[in-house]
Amino acid sequence: MLLLDLLLMLLIAYGFGFLYYGLYRNLSARVHGRFGPSLAQSFSDSIKLFVKEESTTFGWMFYLGPVIMASGAVLNVLFIPFLNQGESLQGLSSYGNLIVVLYLMVLGPLGNALGVGSSGNPFGVMGVTRGLTRLLALELPFYLAAIGVMIDAGSADFGIIMQAQSTQSNMFAHPLLFAAAFISFLGFMGKSPFDVVGAPQEVYSGPATEFSGKFLALLMSQSAMFSFAKLLLMVNLFWGGADHLGELVAKTFVLFVAATFIGSVYARFSTVQSVEFLIRIPTLLGIVGLALL
Amino acid sequence: MDEGFIPYQQSLEDEEQSIKSTQSVIEQAIAWFRAHSMFVLAYGTGCGAIEMPPTFTSRYDIERLGVVGVATPRQADILIVSGYCSPKTLKRVIRSYEQMSEPKYIIGLGSCTINGGMYWDSYNTIKKLDDFLPVDMYVNGCMPRPEALIEGFVKLQEKIRANSSEAGYIQYRTRYAHYRANQERLFGTQVQPRYEENFAGMNL
Amino acid sequence: MERKVITIYHGPQHPGITGNMSVELDLMGETITRARTHVGYLHRGFEKLIERRTIIQAFTIVCRICVPEPDPNEANFALAVERLAGIEVSERASYIRVMVLEMARLGAQLLWMAGQSGSVGLGTVGQWSIYDRDLILDLFEQLTGGRVYHMYIYPGGVRRELPDGFLERLSALLDYLQKRLDAYDRLFFDNASFQKRAIGVGVVRGEEVLRRGFSGQVLRGCGFARDLRRDNPYLLYDQLEFDIPTQSAGDVYARALVRRAEMRESIRILRQVIAQMPEEGAIMQKLPKHRKFTLPKEDTYVAVESARGEFGYYMAGDGSEMIRRMQVKGPSLIHAFSLLEPLLVGEELSNVALIMNSLGICPPEIER
Ligand code: SF4
């Protein structure tokens, strides 16, 4: 039964991940004043990439990178409960808690660093360095917010955190914490102004520079699933989770649209600027939020 | 309508039909996905590059067809050579092409890639791109309008779906000696490593 | 600890380069310790090709010297031939030329805006401004038949009469663009994140800039009101009213602000042209027959202000119908070598595209 549940969760995350990615391309196209591709475009892309032929090898370490990343994303999805009640779609959340999830979020980028490092491409290495630097700065405010939420609920368990919000969601109870988490969430999603990692005008596509074919497809799928996991995490921590699948879709959709629109009107900060910004504003918000608890 | 035209058109269509029927369902599906997801590496070799931004942005919005620009050759399916190539550029174009993973296609944009165009008597441009790299689709014009480029993409989609053995990347493997000889004639001693090493283990 | 210096090529196949050229960068971490510009990817041998072409043959290829803004080339070519052959141009033709040049300038600025905003990852601006530029290209198409290359300004005048209702459509477009410029102000120029990226980056300053032959927004961005339209008027610019916007900071943002003001000035000039253009009048002088169209044994230098700076042609005739020598001097050559190379040292890799775009470097015109 559990296995079936896990499979279902992965399928939902995969499907919605790609749907949201397609939606992202569509929405930003509307902001640009054009129609954009069809919703299923990202599916076509990933299938095409899966059947492409590889032209290069850089040794097994290189291929391990995307695999570690993908497993990080999969685990992340499995450890976050989709719903705040009932038996189904809970995944492994009874075996782990928020702290595990926060750890798992770092796994992917680290794995990628290993793989990219062995390709020897300077742009890839630069992208990874930027990614890790930014990650450090992103985590500080997010952890602060997560700690605040945990203190408030008195537990690190997702079920209890969501239960504690049944009267008032954390977003309104602790707006400062929410703001801190939301800003670093934008960064986790790779949206402007924190998209320095894969800035095409600077480092081609950063960490993905040397990947082609199947491994690029793997990277795409994992990033789609991973962003769904991040949406879930935000919904669970600050919006009290979802009673049923419909509510889940609605909540993640709103969050996603907000992130997309914000991302399309800001210029990209350079690495130093984004670290500076993240350390300053959201971290401060988080600290003040913690103090007000 | 001109009499000779219809049978010729008919023969082309028949050919396409017969190619289709020899493919299995899975092959057809894969070809469909390939045709509807094209990652483009737009190398702005010449002035044709200036019509690329309108094609890719909101006026003509080629992303509707599944065409997206990517930054690196590794991720690309289609290389657009947008105009005249000097030998120095051509070297980089060949490098980029050889880094792409198969199946891969080339679009030659503008008269300059076909026969030298405006620069037919210039001492520093190549006259025919097809001598050095297998071009799958030419878009003529000087400069080709975005509509022409879009039509080129649509035609290329048909070609990809037909999945024929005439495709450029297969030609490049099987007739590599020919292309290599032309490259060597142009570059003299300063040629790049041979491409063959990449597909040594493949079944040609 | 000894830190390793790596050398990378920024270009020619790179989304962050302004065309087919490359910059070789020595990087320490992400900081540039040395930059060298490489060109030669686009050399077509224009100046040699022109030596064996008659005037009408040369005319078809001069516009291809600079792709984003071909019309200053045509104007230069026409002005040079006219000066050598002693041809007078009618007033109406001059007005049409000014109109074409200003439309081209506006289009080039919009294209620049796309590049500049793309270099900081603000793709939305680029999508909008390329669309707006396309509307200008539509008008060009009605006027000349070509979107990008017009081949319209010919020695002796211009080649075609304005289509019916052209000026009305142009002024409708100007109204639209005026409104759009406000939108760009909000989204781009006044955007805090762009300001954060652009202020204090790529600073050019001092008296020295005058001696080293820089032009265009580089000069106007650090306080020198130099503009050939005012300093050395050609066509009818001495009868038109316009300001020369300047800024004093000399950084990327100052140059962006100068361009923003210039777009408004272009619209103002175009409005005046529409109001003042004579209804009637010849647009083309009677020219000698093709093979008899010879240039005397003299030489001349003409220059116009393009959207990026001084664009000059040196032309010499030798009494035959061929052009003996034509030399092109664009702003990019100087900017790409003697300005860009020192400017990049000490900058971050992230700022390379930003600085290159703001200097308006256009490779096809560096190497012809
Ligand atoms: S065909 Fe025309 S537009 Fe294209 S590169 Fe050649 S000269 Fe330029």
Side-chain angles (χ1 to χ4, degrees):
Chain A
M1 208 45 227
L2 181 66
L3 225 57
L4 212 66
D5 205 37
L6 296 184
L7 214 63
L8 192 63
M9 282 170 80
L10 283 183
L11 271 182
I12 292 177
Y14 189 79
F16 273 101
F18 267 121
L19 196 65
Y20 278 172
Y21 188 56
L23 211 59
Y24 158 71
R25 287 169 71 171
N26 253 296
L27 283 176
S28 46
R30 301 311 305 216
V31 176
H32 297 160
R34 59 197 173 94
F35 284 102
S38 73
L39 269 186
Q41 184 61 48
S42 323
F43 276 117
S44 315
D45 288 351
S46 72
I47 289 175
K48 178 212 66 181
L49 285 173
F50 268 120
V51 294
K52 250 179 113 87
E53 287 176 28
E54 293 301 318
S55 59
T56 40
T57 55
F58 295 99
W60 58 273
M61 204 52 224
F62 179 66
Y63 297 124
L64 211 57
V67 176
I68 296 179
M69 259 189 118
S71 37
V74 166
L75 284 176
N76 236 323
V77 168
L78 295 183
F79 272 105
I80 305 175
F82 280 27
L83 301 179
N84 58 11
Q85 57 183 24
E87 290 292 296
S88 59
L89 296 182
Q90 295 297 322
L92 301 173
S93 59
S94 48
Y95 302 100
N97 53 20
L98 181 55
I99 296 175
V100 175
V101 170
L102 290 181
Y103 267 111
L104 283 175
M105 283 178 82
V106 196
L107 185 67
L110 286 180
N112 201 22
L114 288 178
V116 172
S118 61
S119 77
N121 185 318
F123 293 104
V125 175
M126 248 176 252
V128 161
T129 322
R130 289 169 164 213
L132 293 181
T133 319
R134 189 195 60 173
L135 191 69
L136 287 178
L138 280 180
E139 277 179 344
L140 199 60
F142 201 81
Y143 284 179
L144 284 175
I147 290 170
V149 169
M150 283 191 274
I151 292 176
D152 190 47
S155 164
D157 188 80
F158 278 108
I160 301 176
I161 290 177
M162 288 192 279
Q163 217 114 68
Q165 303 180 51
S166 50
T167 48
Q168 192 190 20
S169 69
N170 275 340
M171 178 182 169
F172 299 110
H174 311 295
L176 289 180
L177 289 181
F178 174 74
F182 185 73
I183 293 175
S184 60
F185 163 75
L186 285 180
F188 274 120
M189 296 286 275
K191 296 272 185 285
S192 288
F194 310 113
D195 56 345
V196 74
V197 178
Q201 284 81 10
E202 297 158 22
V203 288
Y204 293 96
S205 35
T209 303
E210 281 291 336
F211 290 102
S212 65
K214 297 177 189 57
F215 293 93
L216 190 61
L218 204 60
L219 280 181
M220 266 176 71
S221 326
Q222 77 83 21
S223 84
M225 279 168 79
F226 200 25
S227 38
F228 189 71
K230 291 167 205 157
L231 287 169
L232 267 179
L233 191 63
M234 283 298 282
V235 168
N236 283 352
L237 291 188
F238 290 98
W239 289 1
D243 292 337
H244 47 84
L245 220 52
E247 196 186 337
L248 181 74
V249 172
K251 281 182 169 172
T252 47
F253 180 75
V254 170
L255 201 57
F256 172 80
V257 170
T260 305
F261 283 166
I262 290 174
S264 51
V265 294
Y266 280 109
R268 172 193 307 130
F269 284 163
S270 71
T271 324
V272 179
Q273 282 168 345
S274 47
V275 169
E276 218 179 9
F277 180 84
L278 286 165
I279 297 266
R280 251 198 231 135
I281 294 169
T283 311
L284 214 67
L285 287 177
I287 291 174
V288 175
L290 269 184
L292 289 182
L293 269 181
Chain B
M1 198 184 282
D2 195 326
E3 275 229 316
F5 180 69
I6 302 168
Y8 178 62
Q9 184 70 23
Q10 199 65 47
S11 75
L12 282 183
E13 281 167 9
D14 287 350
E15 198 178 329
E16 197 175 302
Q17 281 302 321
S18 67
I19 289 169
K20 276 235 177 77
S21 56
T22 59
Q23 291 180 38
S24 72
V25 181
I26 296 195
E27 276 173 347
Q28 278 184 33
I30 289 179
W32 190 90
F33 280 119
R34 276 187 183 147
H36 287 82
S37 156
M38 301 195 260
F39 285 8
V40 172
L41 181 74
Y43 194 139
T45 59
C47 28
I50 205 76
E51 284 289 36
M52 221 76 89
T55 318
F56 280 89
T57 54
S58 46
R59 183 79 184 278
Y60 294 96
D61 189 19
I62 203 169
E63 207 179 349
R64 285 171 302 156
L65 304 180
V67 178
V68 205
V70 290
T72 77
R74 293 264 184 248
Q75 304 166 358
D77 308 312
I78 293 167
L79 174 66
I80 298 185
V81 181
S82 55
Y84 56 85
C85 291
S86 65
K88 191 171 175 179
T89 305
L90 185 67
K91 248 186 232 175
R92 274 79 179 169
V93 174
I94 294 173
R95 254 280 164 67
S96 300
Y97 180 68
E98 291 180 351
Q99 283 177 15
M100 290 160 64
S101 49
E102 293 178 357
K104 51 189 174 186
Y105 305 89
I106 295 187
I107 292 182
L109 193 61
S111 320
C112 284
T113 54
I114 301 175
N115 59 7
M118 279 281 157
Y119 310 113
W120 57 277
D121 59 345
S122 163
Y123 55 83
N124 200 36
T125 61
I126 59 155
K127 302 298 172 288
K128 189 173 164 202
L129 183 61
D130 206 24
D131 287 342
F132 305 96
L133 284 173
V135 180
D136 287 282
M137 189 59 63
Y138 278 120
V139 178
N140 69 347
C142 179
M143 69 188 24
R145 303 172 54 93
E147 290 97 326
L149 183 54
I150 291 176
E151 168 142 31
F153 271 110
V154 173
K155 282 273 173 333
L156 185 64
Q157 273 185 335
E158 284 168 18
K159 200 169 168 181
I160 295 176
R161 286 187 65 181
N163 205 357
S164 89
S165 55
E166 304 279 280
Y169 66 100
I170 299 176
Q171 296 272 322
Y172 197 59
R173 271 196 257 152
T174 49
R175 296 175 60 227
Y176 182 63
H178 162 75
Y179 292 113
R180 178 72 182 188
N182 282 333
Q183 290 167 13
E184 273 172 6
R185 197 171 315 134
L186 182 64
F187 299 139
T189 52
Q190 297 180 321
V191 275
Q192 40 224 327
R194 295 181 75 85
Y195 178 57
E196 281 157 341
E197 282 131 37
N198 284 337
F199 45 84
M202 282 186 190
N203 197 6
L204 294 188
Chain C
M1 194 181 82
E2 199 174 313
R3 295 188 66 190
K4 211 172 139 215
V5 175
I6 54 169
T7 305
I8 60 161
Y9 272 83
H10 196 79
Q13 201 286 301
H14 194 292
I17 203 98
T18 51
N20 196 353
M21 64 181 283
S22 66
V23 192
E24 184 191 347
L25 301 172
D26 283 358
L27 292 177
M28 180 104 72
E30 281 206 24
T31 311
I32 297 162
T33 55
R34 195 189 58 146
R36 281 199 301 167
T37 306
H38 289 260
V39 294
Y41 301 97
L42 284 172
H43 182 67
R44 296 143 277 178
F46 257 114
E47 290 168 1
K48 190 72 193 165
L49 294 185
I50 280 176
E51 284 176 19
R52 33 174 201 254
R53 275 164 164 76
T54 59
I55 287 167
I56 194 164
Q57 287 170 335
F59 162 69
T60 56
I61 64 171
V62 284
C63 56
R64 283 160 174 83
I65 289 175
C66 177
V67 199
E69 197 196 10
D71 301 87
N73 291 288
E74 294 174 11
N76 261 333
F77 182 77
L79 288 173
V81 170
E82 279 155 13
R83 196 179 292 173
L84 285 179
I87 303 170
E88 281 289 320
V89 181
S90 73
E91 196 191 355
R92 184 169 158 81
S94 294
Y95 268 112
I96 297 180
R97 281 183 179 182
V98 171
M99 181 186 78
V100 168
L101 286 176
E102 289 304 317
M103 280 165 67
R105 186 189 317 276
L106 206 47
Q109 305 285 33
L110 288 169
L111 191 66
W112 159 82
M113 197 146 70
Q116 185 77 84
S117 60
S119 71
V120 293
L122 194 56
T124 311
V125 177
Q127 300 263 357
W128 291 2
S129 72
I130 297 240
Y131 179 88
D132 290 343
R133 169 177 172 265
D134 243 64
L135 299 179
I136 298 178
L137 297 190
D138 280 356
L139 284 188
F140 269 130
E141 199 177 348
Q142 294 169 13
L143 183 64
T144 69
R147 270 166 60 86
V148 177
Y149 292 144
H150 310 130
M151 286 168 272
Y152 183 65
I153 301 176
Y154 189 64
V158 295
R159 283 179 57 224
R160 268 189 217 107
E161 189 48 78
L162 301 183
D164 287 344
F166 182 81
L167 292 180
E168 287 81 71
R169 286 197 292 278
L170 178 59
S171 70
L173 177 68
L174 293 182
D175 293 340
Y176 167 80
L177 285 178
Q178 190 99 46
K179 269 197 233 104
R180 294 293 288 172
L181 287 184
D182 295 338
Y184 291 126
D185 280 356
R186 282 199 300 279
L187 182 61
F188 183 49
F189 294 105
D190 296 340
N191 191 327
S193 55
F194 173 62
Q195 289 173 349
K196 190 163 177 161
R197 279 302 297 277
I199 291 178
V201 173
V203 183
V204 190
R205 252 214 216 106
E207 284 294 321
E208 208 199 352
V209 292
L210 285 179
R211 273 191 283 116
R212 291 175 64 184
F214 304 148
S215 59
Q217 286 81 11
V218 176
L219 281 188
R220 295 196 283 274
C222 48
F224 300 101
R226 295 291 174 95
D227 189 320
L228 281 179
R229 291 177 290 177
R230 175 69 50 82
D231 302 341
N232 184 12
Y234 49 96
L235 296 174
L236 296 167
Y237 279 110
D238 45 358
Q239 298 169 28
L240 296 165
E241 245 179 63
F242 59 96
D243 294 331
I244 300 170
T246 54
Q247 292 284 330
S248 55
D251 56 4
V252 171
Y253 191 59
R255 292 193 279 276
L257 289 184
V258 169
R259 285 193 168 92
R260 161 166 96 168
E262 277 172 9
M263 282 189 263
R264 295 222 152 77
E265 291 304 318
S266 286
I267 291 180
R268 189 166 145 207
I269 294 177
L270 279 170
R271 288 241 163 82
Q272 293 173 40
V273 168
I274 293 173
Q276 297 173 10
M277 189 183 292
E279 298 274 309
E280 299 288 308
I283 53 162
M284 190 52 131
Q285 303 303 316
K286 185 125 182 54
L287 295 176
K289 285 267 177 315
H290 170 46
R291 275 288 169 186
K292 300 222 176 66
F293 198 168
T294 58
L295 294 179
K297 208 166 178 174
E298 283 166 20
D299 59 355
T300 184
Y301 176 78
V302 294
V304 301
E305 184 78 24
S306 78
R308 290 165 292 112
E310 174 181 344
F311 214 110
Y313 275 20
Y314 166 81
M315 190 184 281
D318 61 353
S320 73
E321 72 272 16
M322 306 282 180
I323 297 164
R324 180 68 195 88
R325 177 85 175 93
M326 199 183 97
Q327 161 110 32
V328 181
K329 177 201 168 290
S332 297
L333 178 73
I334 304 159
H335 290 175
F337 284 92
S338 55
L339 182 53
L340 182 68
E341 287 180 357
L343 210 54
L344 285 183
V345 174
E347 289 286 352
E348 296 267 305
L349 177 66
S350 337
N351 291 339
V352 176
L354 189 71
I355 292 174
M356 283 191 72
N357 267 301
S358 95
L359 297 182
I361 292 170
C362 163
E365 151 227 315
I366 298 178
E367 25 194 329
R368 279 88 71 184

